Amino acid sequence: MASVIGAAARSTRPRISALHGLVAGAALLLALWPLVFGNKFLLALATLVALYAIGAASLHLIIRTGHVSFAHAGFMGVAGYVAVLSQMRLGLPFAAALPLGCLAAATVALAIGPLILRVTGKYFVLVTFLFGEILRLVFTEWTAVTGGSNGIFDVPPPAPVFATPLGFYYLALGAAVLCVGIVARILGSEIGRTIDALREAERLAECSGVPVIRWKVAVFVVACALAGVQGVLQAHYLRLIDPTTFSIVESLNLVVMNVIGGMQRLAGALIGALFLTALPELLRGYVEMQRVFFGIILIIVMAALPGGIIEIGARLRALGKAR
Amino acid sequence: MTRALLALIAAATVALACAGAATAQEELKIGAVGSLSGGGTAWGLAIQRGTQMAIDEVNAAGGLKLGDKTYKPRLVMYDDQYTSTGGKTAAERLVNSDGVKFILGPAGSPPALAVIGVTNPAKVIVLSDGYAPAILKNEAKAAYNFRALNSNVEFTPAMIAWLKQNMPEVKKIGLVCTNDAVGQAALPLLIDAYKKAGYEVWSELYDRGTKEFTPLMTRMIAQGVDLFDLNFNAPTEAGLLLKQARQAGYKGRIWQVGGPSVDEIMAVAGPLADGFLSYDVFDFDSPAAAKFVATYHKQWPGIINAQAPAWYNAAKVLFEAMRRAGTTDVDKVRDALEKLDGYDAGLFGPVRWGGMADYGVNHQLLLKFLIVEVKDGKRVTRAELQPEQR
Amino acid sequence: MFTPTLLAQVVVNGLSLGAIYVLVALGFTLLFGIMRVVNFAHGAFAVLGGYALYYLYGQYRLPYILAVPLSALLVAVISLLLERCVFRWFYQKMFQSMIGLLGLNMALVFGSVIIWDTYERAIPPAFNGMLQLGGVILPLDRLMVVAIAAAILALFWLFMSRSRWGLAMRAAAQDVEIAEAQGIDTLSTYRLAFFIAIFMTALAGGLYAQIYALSPFMGDRPLVVAFIAVILGGMGSIPGAALGGLILGFTESFLSTFYGATLSAFVSFGVVILLLIFRPWGLLGTPE
Amino acid sequence: MSRLLETSGLSRSFGGLRAVAGLSFAVAEGEILGLIGPNGAGKTTAINLLSGVIKPNAGRVVFAGEEVTGLPPHHLARKGLVRTFQSTVVYGHRTVRENALRGAFLGLYPGVVPAFLGTLRARARRRETEDRIAELLAWFGLDHLGEAIAGSLPYGRQKSLGMVIALAARPRLLMLDEPVAGLAAEEADQVLETIRRIRQRGVTLIVVDHNMRFISGLCDRLVVLHHGQELAQGTPQQVLADSAVIAAYLGRGHGAA
């Protein structure tokens, strides 16, 4: 799988413009479709997909350093609570509350990152799993500030324009394009190549002068700040914020998105976000069976495509070449 | 099991057929939201089954005649996963995709608050459940949402008054509850109520999902508690708390101002449950209940969740309001609902609305309730109480 | 508050809790230690074990001493099918196994919901009495769990250190290629390890369901407990899982009794995080 | 000649085992120093200590007049202290050219903002580095393999690539960990020649190996390690004549290798 990246990294120069065209076309399509089809439920679903794309893409950034974080939803929560509280208690405008929330998530990441990023592989999974639980416990137990399990409701809309579902969809879409764009740019630049290097051969990269831990912490901090965007927007989307939105289940969801879409590529994270947000909705009609189907689909995808859904593309290409 | 599978296949076929056949004529979609996965599933199924029974009843009688039209109600239900995101998505789908105008459920504050955020602006009637006062006490002055089941605000005062009268020897109350929305919102109110009545209170919260309470029970016994209130604990936790309290050597009284979960407690704790007193919403042994129980067991075996009759009741109340309004127009149905006092759906006696004093709006359905005691493995009714209309 | 009786009670509570945790953690650590599979479906197998015991002991009234091992055996045998169809795809694949088995967990749990509904069932206790020594109380059903945990641990240790199969498993756990070069059939070794792991998980699940309560959602807690106990002791280490389970039991008992449940949760999570940072291979594991 | 690197009393133990104890030596600018000893003598620990991969329990390391004891590898690389690895450590899934570029991180990476924006300066740096890399690859006879996947190269080629990666970081002092281990005699001779040419470019070298013949033909001075301790130090002639060395080294039958 990784060899696919390796080959692509060199020979994409001429293809990049085509890729850009594709991305621009997709963005245009995403921006225009609600004006043509008026289905409000699809709009709500698309808003959720856009929000999850932010979380999944930012988690992908961490995954590219070789660490799979199970605390991502917790960081979203930190940003969400800080933004909502600064808006509702301190009266800050949304435009100030959003970056403040992200800054808070980044600060927590910066405080914990240097400690936990020394731990690798499955141990990192476990550390972050527990850290996520601690964050959830804080949201739940610190009732005076967070409202505890009841959360905080009647969160005001970011601005009157965004109070309508369509307005909010454009806000979420804009944020998603921006955040995913940032991640894509990071990964496509010299920074991304260095990130790949320190994942693939940490010691070698370090001996070539890459301050590995510092880089990992920096990436972790940036990713958590970006995840914060989802946390803040989700609170506004739901008009309330409570610990259930940021539990370990949500973190796990983001990991599943990445793994099922494909951990090697950013596109995998986005495919995963779409797949995992849309699929349960498609199955929702079969009330009792939906989760059974969903479970079986997860097994089949992981067994047949260990590299994620994105592998289908590579397989088809290989098939095409073979002929 | 075979029957369940057959029912499932049938349901899937019907669902597919309906999805294919666009909209059947004169069909009236009744929405439901509830937890069909995760820890709150028992409550979700109570919503689904109670509502389904009321719908079946209407259809068996030839449908719902409103004005010159006859509607065939059909249940459309989505899972809220007991989270706010799930509740919001389910409500969005019901309101915007299925075009539903009437929703039953969800149960539980996080999804209920999220659902109301969608339905109130969209002018959709919701009969929900959840102990957070904000469900009724909101900026929209409840507008289109009603609460179909008593919350602690309704039943606590009457129960404490009964306790004072019947067990004057009790001095110190022990309370243990989950740190979830119910525990954090409702427990402080309960503690206040006890303190106002002159009791000493010791309380402790535990993390949702805990099954082992022996250390906590040891802690409680060391505090010298002489009445242990299982308050708002979910049925299994309530049963385990009782069993482990007894196993840890607790000798005092145990009762539950909340729940209700008498059957589950008897199942989990066996003979240790003897002498346990509880709030109960519904007397399954009463003559009025016999028909309900029989109908229920035709479709589903096993223990009936105590909330199922209340949802059946809520759905019947909704249908009656539609009949009286003579239309499916949401505003007219809502006005009819508010004026429904006195209608008897058969299980809980005449409808009474309340809540003005607590929430500023009379959108709380007041249901009569019981205090029952476990004696020799059987449930015995000690008292029948009514929530105060305020 | 720190009276001798209370302290003794805390120790007894800790032991009985720890015994349950040890039982729950053993199967988990075995699967990880040998196949590098993080069994997210651990809880589902515990649930299946619970329902098996419910039928064999609760409904069909088999003698308890038979019902317990038979129910675990039943689940383990049926699960061999899952080994063939699901697990085999995921051996030695950390993340794919996590997600795939998460899917299996969902399918099994919600399949159970369809078959058995969601309401909680109680498995009648085998013993109802309580052992009272001085002021200290130990319910007999807990005492039995302690005994079973000790017996299983001893048998398992003997099996792993003395039998040919146990040695083969340990060799496969160390290095698959070397083991294969030495003529060990890793696939059947894996199958055996899987069988034993599921047997122990189902057995633990049965006892867990009997002590607490049985429902399709019962398994979440054992999964988390197994996770933490196994991290504490060291992933893949059998004595580690035993030590981790006991420490967890004693800590929870002590902190919950004297300082309350919330603090207990914070402290145990925090301590495990610190341990992972400074000694990720756990108390008794070996660094890689 | 000025001293580029100097260690004194460098020690490290693992558990109870003293892997390196009281190691003291100096490397002069432009010199090739050989660090030899039988397997298990502590050579690899020594190079790990010098490159910062592990930290010493005691002792000092001074590089270019600056104390660098216990500094992490990336810090030392920045100062010009770079190493290769004994086993072939390359980015196996990447092309040869990519590998070399990764090694050139210090010269290539323009800082966060220019890298993120892809500024002109960043592009200019990339072009410069690519030219420099092309030259390095040509030097090692890898230029025609620029697009080959590194992991698929034969062993000897991968070792060369390891050296390219290290040289791409523009070291002042290059430490080679067993550069000829596992190579055929012919290949080893080529490596010998390459190392001499590296020195001609003004790079100081420390070569770690246990092949006495190879190393004594190459190095200006030798440090012999035995059981973690220094056994002898001096020119190859002096060291080969040392009775302790003969006893410890030749007595074990390694000398003929």
Side-chain angles (χ1 to χ4, degrees):
Chain A
M1 281 157 267
S3 63
V4 177
I5 310 178
R10 199 74 264 281
S11 53
T12 40
R13 285 271 162 203
R15 271 207 280 150
I16 268 183
S17 56
L19 189 70
H20 282 181
L22 198 72
V23 170
L28 206 66
L29 194 72
L30 286 173
L32 292 180
W33 75 264
L35 304 177
V36 185
F37 306 100
N39 188 325
K40 279 190 188 159
F41 175 67
L42 268 186
L43 196 64
L45 204 59
T47 310
L48 264 187
V49 173
L51 291 178
Y52 275 110
I54 300 174
S58 59
L59 179 62
H60 175 77
L61 197 56
I62 301 177
I63 289 177
R64 286 285 275 264
T65 66
H67 295 259
V68 179
S69 169
F70 273 54
H72 217 51
F75 287 98
M76 274 182 201
V78 171
Y81 276 104
V82 169
V84 164
L85 286 170
S86 59
Q87 234 181 314
M88 293 177 72
R89 300 257 173 97
L90 306 178
L92 288 185
F94 174 75
L98 174 71
L100 194 66
C102 295
L103 191 69
T107 311
V108 176
L110 185 62
I112 189 89
L115 267 179
I116 64 174
L117 284 159
R118 289 175 195 280
V119 182
T120 52
K122 56 189 177 275
Y123 301 120
F124 186 80
V125 167
L126 301 173
V127 168
T128 47
F129 169 82
L130 293 170
F131 187 70
E133 276 291 279
I134 288 189
L135 285 177
R136 184 190 61 84
L137 274 177
V138 171
F139 301 148
T140 311
E141 297 292 338
W142 200 7
T143 41
V145 172
T146 63
S149 298
N150 289 286
I152 302 164
F153 26 88
D154 293 337
V155 174
V161 204
F162 302 126
T164 64
L166 189 66
F168 197 89
Y169 169 71
Y170 284 123
L171 178 66
L173 184 66
V177 167
L178 188 71
C179 292
V180 174
I182 290 175
V183 173
R185 183 59 212 145
I186 289 177
L187 290 175
S189 72
E190 211 55 63
I191 308 174
R193 285 192 274 273
T194 308
I195 290 173
D196 284 337
L198 61 86
R199 180 187 73 243
E200 287 165 28
E202 178 168 332
R203 179 92 342 132
L204 181 58
E206 200 174 14
C207 288
S208 300
V210 184
V212 171
I213 290 290
R214 213 182 308 159
W215 271 67
K216 283 183 175 175
V217 172
V219 170
F220 189 62
V221 167
V222 169
C224 289
L226 288 177
V229 176
Q230 183 186 343
V232 177
L233 289 181
Q234 202 161 322
H236 286 283
Y237 171 67
L238 293 172
R239 309 271 328 270
L240 71 88
I241 185 164
D242 76 335
T244 57
T245 327
F246 308 112
S247 69
I248 191 73
V249 179
E250 288 297 311
S251 294
L252 201 60
N253 254 341
L254 292 171
V255 175
V256 173
M257 285 172 191
N258 270 282
V259 178
I260 211 163
M263 288 206 285
Q264 309 278 343
R265 298 275 208 101
L266 175 58
L270 301 181
I271 292 173
L274 178 67
F275 184 79
L276 217 70
T277 317
L279 184 67
E281 297 308 324
L282 297 178
L283 294 176
R284 232 176 242 272
Y286 308 92
V287 175
E288 281 164 323
M289 281 305 274
Q290 57 156 318
R291 297 248 130 191
V292 180
F293 284 148
F294 188 62
I296 293 172
I297 290 173
L298 279 189
I299 300 173
I300 293 173
V301 171
M302 281 308 36
L305 303 165
I309 297 172
I310 198 160
E311 217 183 306
I312 294 176
R315 295 241 177 132
L316 288 180
R317 232 174 297 145
L319 210 67
K321 270 183 198 161
R323 281 191 187 169
Chain B
M1 180 188 153
T2 343
R3 201 162 37 167
L5 276 176
L6 281 177
L8 193 88
I9 292 163
T13 321
V14 170
L16 278 173
C18 292
T23 340
Q25 51 166 354
E26 309 294 349
E27 182 184 83
L28 175 63
K29 287 180 186 168
I30 301 293
V33 179
S35 308
L36 296 166
S37 57
T41 308
W43 297 327
L45 288 178
I47 297 172
Q48 186 195 28
R49 292 171 182 178
T51 311
Q52 188 63 54
M53 283 170 71
I55 289 175
D56 291 347
E57 205 174 291
V58 168
N59 286 331
L64 191 64
K65 289 184 190 64
L66 305 180
D68 44 6
K69 275 189 184 167
T70 303
Y71 291 92
K72 284 185 89 66
R74 183 170 74 82
L75 179 66
V76 184
M77 179 160 185
Y78 298 120
D79 181 10
D80 64 21
Q81 298 158 333
Y82 203 71
T83 64
S84 5
T85 321
K88 165 123 179 165
T89 313
E92 287 276 4
R93 180 152 185 182
L94 282 174
V95 171
N96 295 323
S97 181
D98 295 311
V100 161
K101 292 281 174 207
F102 309 96
I103 295 177
L104 287 119
S109 300
L113 286 167
V115 164
I116 286 162
V118 176
T119 53
N120 260 343
K123 298 192 176 179
V124 169
I125 290 181
V126 174
L127 290 145
S128 70
D129 180 31
Y131 282 177
I135 293 170
L136 291 180
K137 201 176 175 176
N138 55 16
E139 58 193 356
K141 279 277 154 258
Y144 295 91
N145 65 300
F146 297 80
R147 188 152 59 196
L149 279 76
N150 290 338
S151 80
N152 56 310
V153 174
E154 281 71 52
F155 59 74
T156 303
M159 284 190 76
I160 293 183
W162 185 88
L163 176 72
K164 264 238 122 50
Q165 206 169 30
N166 291 281
M167 294 172 194
E169 73 283 1
V170 170
K171 297 278 177 284
K172 185 164 183 179
I173 314 283
L175 294 163
V176 170
C177 194
T178 50
N179 60 358
D180 66 4
V182 175
Q184 287 185 348
L187 199 63
L189 300 176
L190 183 59
I191 292 172
D192 274 354
Y194 274 121
K195 284 190 174 155
K196 270 193 201 125
Y199 291 104
E200 256 189 279
V201 179
W202 171 86
S203 70
E204 180 84 41
L205 294 178
Y206 63 86
D207 204 29
R208 200 181 155 84
T210 306
K211 302 277 179 210
E212 177 60 59
F213 304 104
T214 314
L216 263 182
M217 293 299 99
T218 307
R219 181 174 167 83
M220 182 179 81
I221 295 165
Q223 299 285 339
V225 161
D226 53 15
L227 181 122
F228 179 27
D229 181 355
L230 303 178
N231 60 78
F232 314 111
N233 284 288
T236 312
E237 281 72 20
L240 290 172
L241 276 164
L242 181 139
K243 177 176 165 189
Q244 292 171 23
R246 292 293 184 219
Q247 284 187 337
Y250 175 73
K251 301 273 188 286
R253 284 192 175 277
I254 302 181
W255 84 332
Q256 184 169 24
V257 179
S261 34
V262 185
D263 289 307
E264 288 89 346
I265 284 175
M266 287 196 287
V268 170
L272 294 175
D274 235 41
F276 168 66
L277 288 160
S278 177
Y279 162 79
D280 203 350
V281 285
F282 190 65
D283 184 0
F284 283 105
D285 300 325
S286 73
K291 195 176 134 226
F292 178 86
V293 172
T295 317
Y296 185 98
H297 278 156
K298 254 182 234 158
Q299 291 197 63
W300 306 285
I303 299 176
I304 307 175
N305 184 285
Q307 293 190 350
W311 289 109
Y312 167 78
N313 177 62
K316 287 198 72 167
V317 163
L318 177 65
F319 287 136
E320 179 62 19
M322 288 183 195
R323 278 191 205 102
R324 293 196 185 177
T327 167
T328 57
D329 180 88
V330 172
D331 286 292
K332 286 184 182 143
V333 174
R334 182 195 54 179
D335 295 343
L337 254 179
E338 285 175 342
K339 292 188 208 99
L340 211 61
D341 283 76
Y343 162 69
D344 189 347
L347 292 178
F348 292 90
V351 167
R352 291 162 69 226
W353 291 109
M356 187 56 89
D358 296 301
Y359 317 110
V361 63
N362 269 333
H363 277 198
Q364 169 71 48
L365 196 55
L366 300 175
L367 304 177
K368 68 172 184 191
F369 64 93
L370 315 165
I371 294 181
V372 297
E373 180 170 2
V374 177
K375 271 189 181 158
D376 303 323
K378 291 231 155 48
R379 178 208 306 252
V380 180
T381 303
R382 285 283 298 261
E384 191 176 302
L385 302 175
Q386 283 282 359
E388 196 187 339
Q389 198 161 27
R390 307 200 287 170
Chain C
M1 228 186 136
F2 292 84
T3 62
T5 322
L6 192 56
L7 277 173
Q9 182 70 56
V10 165
V11 170
V12 168
N13 289 349
L15 184 69
S16 85
L17 246 180
I20 297 172
Y21 292 169
V22 170
L23 273 179
V24 164
L26 276 179
F28 189 78
T29 204
L30 183 63
L31 270 191
F32 183 82
I34 294 176
M35 290 90 124
R36 306 279 142 199
V37 164
V38 178
N39 187 10
F40 265 79
H42 187 71
F45 288 108
V47 169
L48 294 181
Y51 279 101
L53 188 65
Y54 172 79
Y55 282 108
L56 292 188
Y57 181 66
Q59 301 292 107
Y60 305 133
R61 293 281 161 197
L62 253 59
Y64 191 65
I65 191 115
L66 276 180
V68 170
L70 266 184
S71 57
L73 203 64
L74 188 71
V75 174
V77 168
I78 294 173
S79 298
L80 282 178
L81 195 69
L82 290 175
E83 195 271 344
R84 185 73 195 77
C85 308
V86 180
F87 277 79
R88 195 163 289 183
W89 294 92
F90 298 116
Y91 290 149
Q92 307 291 347
K93 288 183 194 157
M94 256 276 287
F95 288 105
Q96 285 84 358
S97 79
M98 274 189 193
I99 309 300
L101 297 183
L102 192 74
L104 178 64
N105 193 59
M106 252 186 227
L108 288 179
V109 165
F110 288 95
S112 308
V113 170
I114 291 168
I115 300 173
W116 292 301
D117 211 328
T118 57
Y119 62 90
E120 309 259 358
R121 293 163 205 242
I123 301 176
F127 310 97
N128 252 328
M130 282 174 246
L131 193 70
Q132 205 150 359
L133 286 170
V136 181
I137 298 170
L138 180 62
L140 283 179
D141 58 347
R142 297 297 177 98
L143 188 66
M144 178 202 67
V145 171
V146 175
I148 292 180
I152 290 274
L153 210 56
L155 279 177
F156 189 62
W157 184 79
L158 275 177
F159 175 81
M160 284 305 269
S161 56
R162 296 292 155 83
S163 78
R164 194 166 58 87
W165 284 105
L167 293 175
M169 269 184 214
R170 281 166 58 186
Q174 303 258 311
D175 193 314
V176 187
E177 282 171 26
I178 293 178
E180 281 182 348
Q182 286 174 342
I184 291 170
D185 177 0
T186 41
L187 213 60
S188 58
T189 308
Y190 278 0
R191 200 182 307 129
L192 180 69
F194 176 85
F195 184 82
I196 295 175
I198 299 303
F199 178 84
M200 288 196 294
T201 306
L203 184 90
L207 296 174
Y208 192 92
Q210 193 174 27
I211 284 188
Y212 303 115
L214 173 62
S215 85
F217 303 109
M218 178 197 84
D220 297 355
R221 196 74 179 177
L223 176 65
V224 174
V225 164
F227 235 127
I228 297 177
V230 164
I231 301 164
L232 260 177
M235 289 291 266
S237 156
I238 302 290
L243 183 69
L246 282 177
I247 291 181
L248 205 61
F250 281 115
T251 322
E252 187 177 330
S253 171
F254 181 81
L255 289 174
S256 297
T257 306
F258 293 112
Y259 302 102
T262 309
L263 186 86
S264 168
F266 269 111
V267 169
S268 42
F269 287 161
V271 167
V272 176
I273 287 187
L274 288 181
L275 182 83
L276 273 170
I277 290 169
F278 294 107
R279 202 183 154 84
W281 51 90
L283 295 173
L284 296 183
T286 41
E288 281 160 26
Chain D
M1 281 204 289
S2 63
R3 286 174 163 180
L4 185 59
L5 179 92
E6 191 171 358
T7 73
S8 50
L10 205 59
S11 305
R12 168 75 202 214
S13 47
F14 298 103
L17 183 78
R18 302 216 302 171
V20 168
L23 187 61
S24 302
F25 66 89
V27 190
E29 186 112 44
E31 194 180 26
I32 301 181
L33 180 87
L35 206 56
I36 65 167
N39 282 330
K43 300 186 302 285
T44 300
T45 309
I47 201 172
N48 281 342
L49 285 171
L50 292 176
S51 61
V53 170
I54 56 176
K55 290 191 189 343
N57 300 124
R60 297 179 61 198
V61 182
V62 175
F63 181 71
E66 216 182 319
E67 163 129 24
V68 295
T69 320
L71 288 184
H74 62 88
H75 228 109
L76 296 172
R78 202 164 284 264
K79 292 186 186 298
L81 199 69
V82 179
R83 66 170 293 181
T84 65
F85 291 84
Q86 182 179 343
S87 50
T88 56
V89 177
V90 295
Y91 306 101
H93 297 303
R94 308 258 157 194
T95 64
V96 167
R97 194 189 311 279
E98 268 292 312
N99 266 274
L101 280 168
R102 295 291 139 257
F105 168 79
L106 288 171
L108 178 62
Y109 184 63
V112 180
V113 177
F116 184 79
L117 298 176
T119 57
L120 285 176
R121 207 177 101 234
R123 284 184 212 174
R125 273 192 157 199
R126 170 125 190 148
R127 269 196 307 278
E128 265 167 44
T129 315
E130 275 174 350
D131 292 345
R132 194 157 57 82
I133 293 305
E135 192 196 336
L136 264 178
L137 289 175
W139 187 25
F140 280 81
L142 290 169
D143 44 350
H144 63 290
L145 292 170
E147 300 309 320
I149 298 300
S152 65
L153 295 181
Y155 183 76
R157 297 277 195 196
Q158 288 196 36
K159 286 212 98 151
S160 303
L161 182 57
M163 255 192 257
V164 170
I165 294 172
L167 281 173
R170 290 200 265 210
R172 281 181 75 184
L173 173 64
L174 177 62
M175 295 183 281
L176 302 174
D177 195 355
E178 311 229 356
V180 294
L183 295 186
E186 215 172 295
E187 286 177 309
D189 285 342
Q190 274 178 13
V191 172
L192 204 76
E193 196 45 46
T194 312
I195 294 174
R196 290 208 178 97
R197 285 177 58 191
I198 294 172
R199 191 245 298 262
Q200 278 166 14
R201 294 196 157 198
V203 178
T204 310
L205 287 123
I206 297 179
V207 182
V208 171
D209 216 304
H210 60 256
N211 186 330
M212 185 67 94
R213 201 190 55 152
F214 162 74
I215 215 158
S216 57
L218 173 71
C219 300
D220 304 317
R221 278 187 324 114
L222 298 180
V223 174
V224 186
L225 286 177
H226 190 58
H227 293 313
Q229 281 174 317
E230 181 195 313
L231 198 64
Q233 196 173 137
T235 62
Q237 290 79 1
Q238 288 169 335
V239 166
L240 282 171
D242 191 297
S243 55
V245 174
I246 294 167
Y249 212 80
L250 302 180
R252 287 168 172 247
H254 283 269

